[in-house]
Amino acid sequence: MPKKGFLGFGRLIESVKATKADRGPQYVVKAIDEEMGRNVHTCIVPISDYELIVTRDPINVQAMLASQSVDWDVGEHRTASWKPLFGEGVFTTRGEAWKHSRALVRPQFAKDQINDLDLIERHVQQLFSAIDRSFGGSDEKGYTQKFDLQPLFYNMTLDVTTELIYGYSVHSQNPSDRMELPAVSGYEAPDRQTIGAHMDEGKACIELRGALWKYRWLLPTKELNQHCAAVQKFAGYFVQLRLQRGEKYMTGLQSETGNVAKQRYVLLDELAKVTKDPIELRSQTLNVLTAGRDTTASLLGWVFYFLSRYPAVFTKLRTEILQRFGPYVPAAPSSIGFKELRDSVPYITSVINETLRMAPVIPLNERVALRDTMLPRGGGADGDEPVFVPKGRQVLIPTYAMTRREDLWGPDVDDFRPERWEENGGRKFGFEFIPFGGGSRQCLGQQFARTKTAYVMVRMLQRYDRLENAELPADTPIRFHHTIENRSGSGTLKGHKLVILTPWSPPAHFLDNLKAKFPDLQTEYRKLGWVVNAGDEVEFPEERWKDVTIVLTFNILPEPKQAPKLEYVQLMSAGANHVIKTPLFLDTDVAFCTANGVHGPQISEWIITTWLAFEHHIPQYLDQQKEGKWERGSLDVEDGVDKTVGILGYGSIGRQTARVATALGLKVHAYTLHPRPSPESRRDSSWTPEGLGDPLGIFPSKWFSGASKADLHKFLSSGLDLLVIATPLTDNTQHLISAPEFEVLAGVKKGKTYVSNIARGPVIQTDDLITAVEGGLIRGAALDVTDPEPLPDGHKLFSTKNVIVTPHISGASTEYNTRVLAILDHNLTRLSEGLELTNKVSRKDGY
């Protein structure tokens, strides 16, 4: 592949952006297919000063993982990234250290006790209780409330895995079930409430560090260190408890379940019979904890993601489960045995396999050459020759890309179809399907993960007879959000808190849709803003800012130190001149976005309405009406056909004005600060109501640009019948239109130009405007904004002939608030996808 971007970092930047946008696996497929060809499966990717190899060829994968595995190992950057959080264990070491860890842990996963269905059943019951407790209210169809299963699965698998490993569950699903932890001399009991969050945030840091590989040193480590300390403290406590209690450790656990008859299996206790090294016990158990909790929870999330979108698969699976295991009976113990679960309903395995094919839990693997070696295939003119790989070269294995090859899986490769695993006597797979890895480093917990997943599937489908997808829109493309493991990215704004500070109440349906679309987003509303009614709060408490990441507001902003997590401010105004001098704008990198686009329809109507009213002498006829007179008079009427409107500031308002003016037969001249010489440069990416505006920049017949007076005068002398001022107010646009500019207009149109200002009052020098109207330099003016504003009673503008003045109301519309919320929703979607926010204010330009 060719290098991309500045100093060759373009490919890395693209990859990081794609991952942030929850489309990392698709990016790999798209990059290879479009740049190399669909038949190319192995390629060299240059990034800055190094190269790596990417291969989606099962033959090469088999060589690295199995037949030539002595030449390969996981990369040092992977182990270096993971070790601060989980320590040295079976997933974070290489070479002899890995062999030692494998030998220590492997025997434990060969024991029957690892597949303890009684343990899983207890936590499935807690899952049902959590659903009933929080979402159990039924609607008229008997459905529960809409909710996100994925966080519940992560809680359940955390509960199961912590009990299996340490003997004590964290009971994240039902904290009231937590028993008091024993005292350990010299060690404080860990915080069981936050351990899951520390694992998630720590892995997010690791994911980014891994993506940056050799440049990970550029990242700050303070946050990662905090999460690492919390996770290691959690495991370290139980290790010390086991070492201090010795063989009595199991006796002390009986009260956790109340089941004293059955011999329990606890991984920590078994490992402590082999080693007494506290660091080794802590690290090995943490390695198993992250795999046992996260990969299974992710797999369960994906299973129900697809079952909710493929009702025929759900119905078939539920029918077979009910035929074999019967319906769910509340309060009745489960009688399902391990072998029965494994063998009696093969379609369960087909659904699990197809889920893993469509959404691999680990979508990207890697190996590094330990010595100069070869990959069997990928070289030569036809790609069938071996490829030389020098020592130290990294090879990426995109497992998702292998499961998207039509030549391996058929033309329906993008369809979720579990039946493909049953056809022709059952599909046999090799290294084209490695959801749990392959060869000697294949995941030890594969069987345990499949068992937990199958058991939860059975119990869920016994209990619930329907499952519906509540995601909006229903056909949203699949998104992959992965922090080491891979979960659905649908609607993810986890960790974000939105505060809405408006003088009007958001509609209930908007808040409901927001919750359905972004279930992880915390939302708070306060009735505040530029209009404060009696009894309304007039400020947002300082202490409430500390967790806010997003705010919708007009001008209520915190000091930077009050809101350390704030990332994005959505303004309700099209302009930003009232915030660009604030410390939050000047001293931080918080993104400010305007409501540019909400005013286009109504303000363009005001512009055209006031101009047409003037041309058709409506003000005079209204005066006659008040006097009770019927006088047609001899007033000339000029229609707009073939006249020219010049739009100074071709933003969203100017573009919608151009659309309306063009429909009336006017020609459009556009003026922008920066040149727009090409069709591409004339496009506009700011928000606009669908079907309105001029996003492609096709309406102007002439374009003008520049920052000098000469550039402006060239535009003003282009023969304008109507001059629309729609430019932002900045230091450079203060009194942009004054006496010299009115002289230029008069020099061409001989006093026939009408001026309309809907920008900000100070863009026009007021006294010069009055002089120009009274002196016949321009025909008249329509002003919705003035300088000063508000205009004092008795000001001369009120009585100046041929001037229409309105009190800054051109932007008023019953749809204003709806459009503001639409922009917020639009930007929240882009934020969740890792994309650039729309209508972002430039700190350089101030708009």
Side-chain angles (χ1 to χ4, degrees), residues 32-33 36-44 53-58 60-61 375 377-378 382-384 396 398 401-402 404-408:
I32 296 176
D33 286 352
M36 304 301 294
R38 297 175 68 86
N39 295 323
V40 174
H41 306 304
T42 302
C43 55
I44 296 174
I53 297 173
V54 178
T55 184
R56 55 182 177 181
D57 189 333
N60 290 338
V61 175
L375 288 177
R377 210 157 60 178
D382 57 3
D384 287 334
L396 299 185
M402 285 198 295
R404 285 303 182 280
R405 284 181 52 177
E406 290 187 9
D407 58 321
L408 297 177

XYZ file of all heavy atoms in Angstrom, residues 32-33 36-44 53-58 60-61 375 377-378 382-384 396 398 401-402 404-408:
266
model
N -8.182 -2.594 2.044
C -7.574 -3.624 1.195
C -8.346 -3.754 -0.112
O -7.764 -3.769 -1.201
C -7.517 -4.969 1.927
C -6.603 -4.875 3.150
C -7.005 -6.067 0.997
C -6.565 -6.140 3.994
N -9.670 -3.865 -0.020
C -10.493 -4.070 -1.220
C -10.342 -2.932 -2.223
O -10.199 -3.153 -3.434
C -11.964 -4.230 -0.847
C -12.272 -5.578 -0.213
O -11.378 -6.442 -0.203
O -13.408 -5.762 0.265
N -6.100 -2.252 -2.905
C -5.291 -3.362 -3.406
C -6.080 -4.321 -4.296
O -5.527 -4.955 -5.183
C -4.685 -4.134 -2.227
C -3.850 -3.276 -1.278
S -2.451 -2.462 -2.092
C -1.464 -3.876 -2.539
N -7.370 -4.448 -4.025
C -8.194 -5.369 -4.799
C -8.774 -6.469 -3.935
O -8.158 -6.918 -2.963
N -9.973 -6.929 -4.278
C -10.675 -7.933 -3.478
C -9.967 -9.289 -3.479
O -10.204 -10.115 -2.605
C -12.108 -8.101 -3.987
C -12.951 -6.843 -3.858
C -14.318 -7.030 -4.490
N -15.115 -7.988 -3.752
C -15.877 -7.689 -2.702
N -15.933 -6.446 -2.260
N -16.592 -8.610 -2.106
N -9.104 -9.515 -4.460
C -8.390 -10.789 -4.532
C -7.018 -10.733 -3.870
O -6.283 -11.724 -3.883
C -8.237 -11.229 -5.993
C -9.575 -11.526 -6.649
O -10.481 -12.067 -6.002
N -9.716 -11.166 -7.920
N -6.666 -9.587 -3.325
C -5.397 -9.451 -2.607
C -5.661 -9.655 -1.123
O -6.518 -8.986 -0.540
C -4.769 -8.059 -2.848
C -3.530 -7.873 -1.986
C -4.432 -7.889 -4.313
N -4.925 -10.590 -0.508
C -5.192 -10.931 0.887
C -3.995 -10.719 1.804
O -4.121 -10.896 3.018
C -5.678 -12.378 0.976
C -6.856 -12.670 0.103
N -8.025 -11.956 0.197
C -7.038 -13.571 -0.908
C -8.899 -12.410 -0.698
N -8.316 -13.378 -1.379
N -2.867 -10.347 1.234
C -1.680 -10.049 2.032
C -0.996 -8.828 1.436
O -0.765 -8.770 0.230
C -0.702 -11.243 2.040
O -1.363 -12.401 2.550
C 0.521 -10.935 2.905
N -0.712 -7.823 2.283
C -0.094 -6.606 1.776
C 0.814 -5.981 2.824
O 0.671 -6.234 4.028
C -1.155 -5.605 1.324
S -2.375 -5.205 2.578
N 1.747 -5.171 2.347
C 2.649 -4.418 3.220
C 2.084 -3.015 3.386
O 1.730 -2.352 2.405
C 4.064 -4.360 2.626
C 4.667 -5.773 2.546
C 4.968 -3.447 3.463
C 5.998 -5.821 1.846
N 2.858 -5.933 8.026
C 2.172 -6.773 7.056
C 0.764 -7.048 7.578
O 0.577 -7.286 8.772
C 2.931 -8.096 6.833
C 4.314 -7.820 6.238
C 2.143 -9.035 5.919
C 5.190 -9.047 6.147
N -0.213 -6.977 6.701
C -1.588 -7.347 7.035
C -1.969 -8.542 6.165
O -1.805 -8.487 4.936
C -2.561 -6.181 6.789
C -3.995 -6.609 7.093
C -2.180 -4.974 7.634
N -2.458 -9.610 6.788
C -2.867 -10.780 6.009
C -4.193 -11.326 6.493
O -4.423 -11.469 7.691
C -1.808 -11.897 6.044
O -2.232 -12.976 5.190
C -1.564 -12.409 7.458
N -5.086 -11.578 5.533
C -6.362 -12.222 5.813
C -6.407 -13.582 5.112
O -7.474 -14.074 4.753
C -7.521 -11.340 5.368
C -7.466 -10.904 3.910
C -8.624 -9.991 3.542
N -8.528 -9.514 2.158
C -9.397 -8.688 1.591
N -10.440 -8.258 2.274
N -9.239 -8.296 0.338
N -5.233 -14.163 4.907
C -5.091 -15.454 4.243
C -4.981 -16.546 5.304
O -4.008 -16.560 6.075
C -3.841 -15.444 3.366
C -3.740 -16.679 2.485
O -4.280 -17.733 2.881
O -3.102 -16.599 1.423
N -5.942 -17.477 5.380
C -5.899 -18.528 6.404
C -4.627 -19.364 6.365
O -4.181 -19.858 7.407
C -7.137 -19.374 6.096
C -8.057 -18.459 5.359
C -7.169 -17.554 4.565
N -1.577 -18.325 5.726
C -0.568 -17.569 6.476
C -0.873 -17.565 7.964
O 0.034 -17.644 8.798
C -0.492 -16.137 5.953
C 0.111 -16.036 4.580
O 0.835 -16.927 4.141
N -0.182 -14.947 3.866
N -2.150 -17.454 8.305
C -2.550 -17.456 9.714
C -2.202 -18.796 10.357
O -1.675 -18.860 11.479
C -4.057 -17.151 9.842
C -4.498 -17.280 11.289
C -4.358 -15.752 9.315
N 6.248 -16.233 5.132
C 4.830 -16.554 5.084
C 4.594 -17.376 3.822
O 5.160 -17.070 2.770
C 3.972 -15.283 5.062
C 3.893 -14.476 6.354
C 3.074 -13.208 6.132
C 3.289 -15.303 7.492
N 2.300 -17.591 1.626
C 1.601 -17.085 0.453
C 1.477 -15.562 0.516
O 1.485 -14.972 1.592
C 0.212 -17.723 0.377
C -0.324 -17.877 -1.027
C -1.365 -18.963 -1.121
N -2.530 -18.749 -0.271
C -3.571 -19.578 -0.245
N -3.562 -20.667 -0.995
N -4.596 -19.330 0.535
N 1.367 -14.977 -0.699
C 1.171 -13.537 -0.787
C 2.145 -12.836 -1.691
O 1.934 -11.677 -2.068
N 1.131 -13.425 -8.933
C -0.231 -13.917 -8.696
C -0.543 -14.087 -7.224
O -1.621 -14.562 -6.865
C -0.450 -15.244 -9.436
C 0.579 -16.307 -9.033
O 1.405 -16.018 -8.139
O 0.551 -17.407 -9.620
N 0.392 -13.718 -6.358
C 0.148 -13.800 -4.915
C 0.261 -15.182 -4.326
O -0.082 -15.381 -3.152
N 0.783 -16.148 -5.071
C 0.876 -17.519 -4.575
C 2.270 -17.886 -4.091
O 2.490 -19.022 -3.636
C 0.459 -18.507 -5.681
C -1.043 -18.489 -5.929
O -1.773 -18.134 -4.986
O -1.459 -18.801 -7.055
N -0.337 -8.151 11.171
C -1.693 -8.041 11.706
C -2.577 -9.094 11.071
O -2.519 -9.346 9.864
C -2.264 -6.648 11.429
C -1.522 -5.457 12.047
C -2.286 -4.164 11.781
C -1.302 -5.654 13.542
N -6.414 -9.624 10.673
C -7.777 -9.104 10.856
C -8.805 -10.228 10.735
O -9.249 -10.575 9.635
C -7.908 -8.085 9.715
C -7.004 -8.610 8.646
C -5.886 -9.345 9.327
N -11.875 -9.489 8.756
C -11.682 -9.452 7.308
C -11.706 -10.857 6.713
O -12.184 -11.052 5.585
C -10.364 -8.757 6.977
N -11.204 -11.841 7.456
C -11.258 -13.214 6.942
C -12.680 -13.729 6.854
O -13.019 -14.502 5.956
C -10.423 -14.147 7.827
C -8.930 -14.004 7.625
S -8.009 -15.418 8.267
C -8.345 -15.306 10.021
N -15.194 -12.021 6.065
C -15.933 -11.253 5.069
C -15.464 -11.574 3.650
O -15.772 -10.847 2.725
C -15.783 -9.744 5.332
C -16.623 -9.255 6.509
C -18.099 -9.571 6.310
N -18.929 -9.084 7.379
C -19.098 -9.667 8.561
N -18.468 -10.795 8.824
N -19.891 -9.156 9.462
N -14.761 -12.681 3.482
C -14.308 -13.090 2.150
C -15.366 -13.968 1.492
O -15.678 -15.063 1.983
C -12.978 -13.845 2.265
C -11.784 -12.951 2.512
C -10.497 -13.732 2.582
N -10.294 -14.610 1.420
C -9.199 -15.357 1.236
N -8.201 -15.284 2.114
N -9.098 -16.138 0.179
N -15.906 -13.490 0.388
C -16.939 -14.243 -0.321
C -16.417 -15.574 -0.841
O -17.159 -16.556 -0.911
C -17.491 -13.414 -1.481
C -18.327 -12.217 -1.049
C -19.001 -11.532 -2.220
O -18.948 -12.096 -3.343
O -19.571 -10.446 -2.024
N -15.123 -15.622 -1.209
C -14.585 -16.870 -1.733
C -14.499 -17.952 -0.662
O -14.424 -19.143 -0.978
C -13.207 -16.641 -2.357
C -12.211 -16.049 -1.360
O -12.610 -15.187 -0.555
O -11.035 -16.448 -1.397
N -14.523 -17.556 0.601
C -14.477 -18.528 1.694
C -15.858 -18.834 2.264
O -16.100 -19.943 2.732
C -13.573 -18.017 2.826
C -12.098 -17.799 2.500
C -11.379 -17.220 3.708
C -11.444 -19.107 2.062
